[in-house]
Amino acid sequence: MTQILDRIRNGVDSEQMYGTLDAIKADPSLGVFRFRARNQWVDGAHNRSTIKAFYGAGQEDSTRTHAFTLDAGEPAILLGTDTGPNPAETLLHALAACLTTSLVYVAAARKVRLTAVESTLEGDMDVRGALGLSDEVRNGFSNIRVSFKVSGDAPPEKLREVVERAQSRSAVFDMVANGVPVEVTCSS
Amino acid sequence: MTQILDRIRNGVDSEQMYGTLDAIKADPSLGVFRFRARNQWVDGAHNRSTIKAFYGAGQEDSTRTHAFTLDAGEPAILLGTDTGPNPAETLLHALAACLTTSLVYVAAARKVRLTAVESTLEGDMDVRGALGLSDEVRNGFSNIRVSFKVSGDAPPEKLREVVERAQSRSAVFDMVANGVPVEVTCSS
């Protein structure tokens, strides 16, 4: 029982974690992943993504038993009917989620037991950009602030280090902070 | 009846749209928005964001009647239990949703009636970056491909123009393609 408790830390199985890391170290081609989403317009600002298939560890995944669906919308002031969080809010969720999971994995690797992790995120946007009313403001957020509150069985400095390490390894933090080449094509 | 059908195009009320644009033109301070998300760790790779309050058009919003919740997870191969789409997949959804809504609004403004809009997105990631196994690959996607299929009552060139204009005005496209300054703070 103690052994199992030692192995599972923060809900992460450290034996499985080190097994995965060793396998990818031994064969770096296993690290190549391709993630996907399919989106369909419903009406107005309402559209919906379906997320299931991905490629990783040398093959198409066959473990996911069902697709996830995510709905998007806009509030009335932005001409929608609130059918879901808006795309910019959803980006904040993706960022929070990735930083949090990175943090939980880093803590597991460093033998820190977490008791609570919470974050609040806020992004500033002048919507004149996206609405086409001004070329002097950008379309997206000018700034994003992320504020973490982390509790666990380690001193505050160590918890802060875990957050810093998570930030330096988070996939979505990297993308949002540094940008990614995006190619858009269209057929009709 | 014909008048109403003319006014509502692609689910967007053009009268409301021009009213909003005119109001923000007249008072640019109404264009200042602040979007937010709160995230809470559940266990392992499972965490959940709550999205409700935002500031915009000169005040805190009071029109949203309920909060949206979004769950994140990871598939087994990435040490989770598939409690939701992973953060990188969620970012693809945010990108698809924003491009699609921009496209629908642009089409409404240009009097193009859309009949269908679908997109598929794919991002390439070498997970050795995020797993801390290599400093030579980045943590996030190296590339994202977005493929739109758009149908409506306009010639293919015009539909392509609408997609291009949407891309040049999408908030999330701007953020993902160009990056945003992100400030992360932590308390314990």
Side-chain angles (χ1 to χ4, degrees), chain A residues 70-132:
Chain A
L70 292 170
D71 282 82
E74 292 288 353
I77 182 81
L78 293 172
L79 313 172
T81 55
D82 248 340
T83 49
N86 83 6
E89 292 171 320
T90 304
L91 179 131
L92 293 179
H93 160 62
L95 178 59
C98 196
L99 283 167
T100 299
T101 297
S102 299
L103 194 164
V104 167
Y105 285 9
V106 167
R110 298 194 175 186
K111 302 196 185 344
V112 173
R113 258 179 222 289
L114 299 168
T115 47
V117 181
E118 284 176 23
S119 56
T120 58
L121 291 86
E122 191 168 60
D124 302 319
M125 187 184 296
D126 187 331
V127 297
R128 288 181 298 156
L131 293 177

Side-chain angles (χ1 to χ4, degrees), chain A:
Chain A
M1 187 63 188
T2 313
Q3 255 185 331
I4 292 177
L5 282 177
D6 274 355
R7 218 181 90 178
I8 312 283
R9 202 177 294 119
N10 307 328
V12 181
D13 184 330
S14 57
E15 202 166 289
Q16 191 197 347
M17 178 166 67
Y18 291 117
T20 300
L21 294 176
D22 287 345
I24 297 177
K25 257 186 241 175
D27 179 358
S29 77
L30 298 177
V32 174
F33 277 65
R34 229 171 272 139
F35 292 110
R36 306 181 187 116
R38 299 180 68 87
N39 184 280
Q40 193 149 26
W41 175 50
V42 181
D43 194 28
H46 185 198
N47 62 72
R48 181 178 293 139
S49 290
T50 307
I51 292 167
K52 184 170 189 268
F54 67 90
Y55 174 92
Q59 59 192 328
E60 281 294 316
D61 172 68
S62 62
T63 65
R64 266 194 186 155
T65 52
H66 67 288
F68 301 110
T69 57
L70 292 170
D71 282 82
E74 292 288 353
I77 182 81
L78 293 172
L79 313 172
T81 55
D82 248 340
T83 49
N86 83 6
E89 292 171 320
T90 304
L91 179 131
L92 293 179
H93 160 62
L95 178 59
C98 196
L99 283 167
T100 299
T101 297
S102 299
L103 194 164
V104 167
Y105 285 9
V106 167
R110 298 194 175 186
K111 302 196 185 344
V112 173
R113 258 179 222 289
L114 299 168
T115 47
V117 181
E118 284 176 23
S119 56
T120 58
L121 291 86
E122 191 168 60
D124 302 319
M125 187 184 296
D126 187 331
V127 297
R128 288 181 298 156
L131 293 177
L133 292 176
S134 170
D135 289 326
E136 280 159 37
V137 298
R138 68 180 295 178
N139 301 330
F141 290 135
S142 55
N143 286 284
I144 297 174
R145 292 171 293 285
V146 183
S147 168
F148 268 100
K149 193 157 178 226
V150 181
S151 313
D153 69 353
E157 316 84 77
K158 180 126 187 187
L159 294 175
R160 258 197 301 277
E161 264 178 47
V162 167
V163 173
E164 279 162 24
R165 175 73 180 169
Q167 184 179 337
S168 75
R169 284 303 175 189
S170 159
V172 175
F173 178 86
D174 169 31
M175 292 191 272
V176 173
N178 302 314
V180 181
V182 183
E183 185 198 14
V184 180
T185 56
C186 173
S187 68
S188 52

Side-chain angles (χ1 to χ4, degrees), chain B residues 155-172:
Chain B
E157 317 84 77
K158 179 125 187 191
L159 294 174
R160 257 197 302 279
E161 264 177 47
V162 167
V163 172
E164 279 162 24
R165 175 73 180 170
Q167 184 179 337
S168 76
R169 285 301 175 190
S170 158
V172 174

